[in-house]
């Protein structure tokens, strides 16, 4: 359906903006390495099913793309973040990983290793942007491209919400776990979305309070 | 309703 395609495209766009920004500027300035490490963990743990199940060519190609681009991003960010004197990427990611794992143990579609990993990846994804938002807040202002990247990334999960509503009515399917974590993720972004709307859409520079 | 996980999504 249209919401899901739009969500996936938004996700792709966010990655292209990110990689392009890093490569053009040859700098990791303003971009959180920790957030990108978390996303790599999210993709690897969620897409282990590549090894034993097949949905569609689209699905497989997208999964391979998301895993490989997230690892590529980490390599590039590592390379360029060394040159930055004040790199405010100091969010404690263990505070995100450990609770996500516990939530994965409690809420899952069956107490199996693969299901726990899948649930863990959903919980972790919902909060993975926090180091990036934290960094943005600390530095006070940011490059326009970085905010477009964060916006496109947030939009992807937000668009999945109407997709889930559509699927509930069209296919009678709903996944409480995916929907709950998707809503949490969108809520985590809500303050950013508001500021983005105020500053970028209304075209007046960008800075977080 | 079918509450199967939506594993066909990304």
């Amino acid at each position: 359906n249209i919401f899901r395609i739009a969500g996936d495209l938004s996700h792709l766009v966010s990655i292209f903006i990110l990689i392009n920004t890093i490569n053009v500027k040859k700098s990791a300035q303003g971009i959180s390495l920790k957030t990108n490490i978390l996303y790599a963990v999210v993709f690897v743990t969620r897409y282990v099913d590549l090894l034993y199940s097949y949905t569609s060519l689209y699905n497989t190609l997208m999964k391979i793309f998301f895993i490989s681009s997230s690892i590529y991003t980490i390599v590039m960010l590592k390379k360029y973040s060394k040159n930055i004197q004040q790199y405010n990427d100091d969010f404690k990611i263990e505070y995100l990983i450990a609770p996500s794992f516990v939530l994965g143990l409690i809420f899952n579609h069956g107490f199996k290793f693969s299901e726990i990993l899948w649930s863990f990846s959903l919980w972790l994804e919902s909060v993975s942007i926090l180091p990036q938002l934290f960094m943005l807040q600390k530095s006070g202002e940011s490059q326009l491209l970085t905010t477009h990247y964060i916006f496109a990334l947030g939009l992807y999960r937000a668009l999945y919400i109407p997709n889930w509503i559509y699927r509930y009515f069209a296919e009678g399917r709903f996944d409480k776990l995916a929907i709950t974590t998707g809503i949490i993720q969108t809520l985590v972004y809500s303050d950013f979305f508001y500021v983005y709307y105020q500053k970028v859409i209304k075209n007046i520079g960008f800075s977080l309070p | 309703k079918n509450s199967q996980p939506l594993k066909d999504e990304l």
Side-chain angles (χ1 to χ4, degrees), chain A residues 144-208:
Chain A
L144 203 56
L145 275 173
T146 312
T147 62
H148 287 328
Y149 144 67
I150 301 169
F151 176 75
L153 195 56
L155 188 63
Y156 135 71
R157 215 60 180 171
L159 282 166
Y160 262 51
I161 295 173
N163 152 60
W164 290 319
I165 296 170
Y166 176 89
R167 295 192 76 177
Y168 176 77
F169 289 108
E171 302 166 29
R173 302 222 306 167
F174 81 120
D175 179 344
K176 268 185 270 181
L177 190 53
I179 293 169
T180 307
T181 55
I183 291 171
I184 292 173
Q185 184 165 349
T186 305
L187 288 175
V188 167
Y189 271 94
S190 54
D191 186 51
F192 171 83
F193 280 147
Y194 179 73
V195 179
Y196 185 87
Y197 172 74
Q198 290 292 323
K199 307 282 181 181
V200 179
I201 309 286
K202 292 189 173 174
N203 203 12
I204 334 158
F206 188 92
S207 70
L208 280 176

Side-chain angles (χ1 to χ4, degrees), chain A residues 63 139 142 154 204:
Chain A
K63 285 176 175 175
S139 61
S142 170
I204 334 158

Side-chain angles (χ1 to χ4, degrees), chain A residues 20-203:
Chain A
N20 190 53
T21 305
I22 300 168
N23 282 337
V24 168
K25 291 197 302 181
K26 300 206 179 302
S27 167
Q29 189 83 51
I31 295 164
S32 168
L33 173 63
K34 288 185 176 173
T35 279
N36 281 282
I37 290 172
L38 292 180
Y39 278 119
V41 173
V42 165
F43 295 142
V44 170
T45 51
R46 185 168 321 154
Y47 301 156
V48 279
D49 66 355
L50 271 174
L51 302 173
Y52 56 84
S53 78
Y54 177 81
T55 310
S56 64
L57 183 63
Y58 169 80
N59 194 275
T60 302
L61 290 177
M62 291 291 259
K63 285 176 175 175
I64 292 170
F65 175 78
F66 288 133
I67 291 175
S68 49
S69 64
S70 65
I71 292 166
Y72 173 75
T73 305
I74 291 172
V75 172
M76 299 308 279
L77 284 175
K78 273 206 175 248
K79 185 172 153 194
Y80 293 129
S81 61
K82 285 175 203 150
N83 312 326
I84 305 173
Q85 275 145 7
Q86 205 197 358
Y87 189 59
N88 292 320
D89 193 18
D90 42 18
F91 196 95
K92 297 262 185 296
I93 53 173
E94 50 272 40
Y95 294 147
L96 301 178
I97 295 175
S100 297
F101 187 70
V102 173
L103 287 165
L105 288 174
I106 301 171
F107 304 100
N108 50 59
H109 292 289
F111 206 76
K112 282 180 5 197
F113 189 61
S114 61
E115 293 294 347
I116 292 166
L117 275 188
W118 193 74
S119 174
F120 164 72
S121 81
L122 288 174
W123 290 105
L124 187 62
E125 185 187 2
S126 70
V127 291
S128 285
I129 197 64
L130 283 171
Q132 176 68 71
L133 292 179
F134 195 68
M135 192 176 171
L136 198 61
Q137 202 163 34
K138 265 195 134 177
S139 61
E141 55 185 276
S142 170
Q143 299 284 334
L144 203 56
L145 275 173
T146 312
T147 62
H148 287 328
Y149 144 67
I150 301 169
F151 176 75
L153 195 56
L155 188 63
Y156 135 71
R157 215 60 180 171
L159 282 166
Y160 262 51
I161 295 173
N163 152 60
W164 290 319
I165 296 170
Y166 176 89
R167 295 192 76 177
Y168 176 77
F169 289 108
E171 302 166 29
R173 302 222 306 167
F174 81 120
D175 179 344
K176 268 185 270 181
L177 190 53
I179 293 169
T180 307
T181 55
I183 291 171
I184 292 173
Q185 184 165 349
T186 305
L187 288 175
V188 167
Y189 271 94
S190 54
D191 186 51
F192 171 83
F193 280 147
Y194 179 73
V195 179
Y196 185 87
Y197 172 74
Q198 290 292 323
K199 307 282 181 181
V200 179
I201 309 286
K202 292 189 173 174
N203 203 12

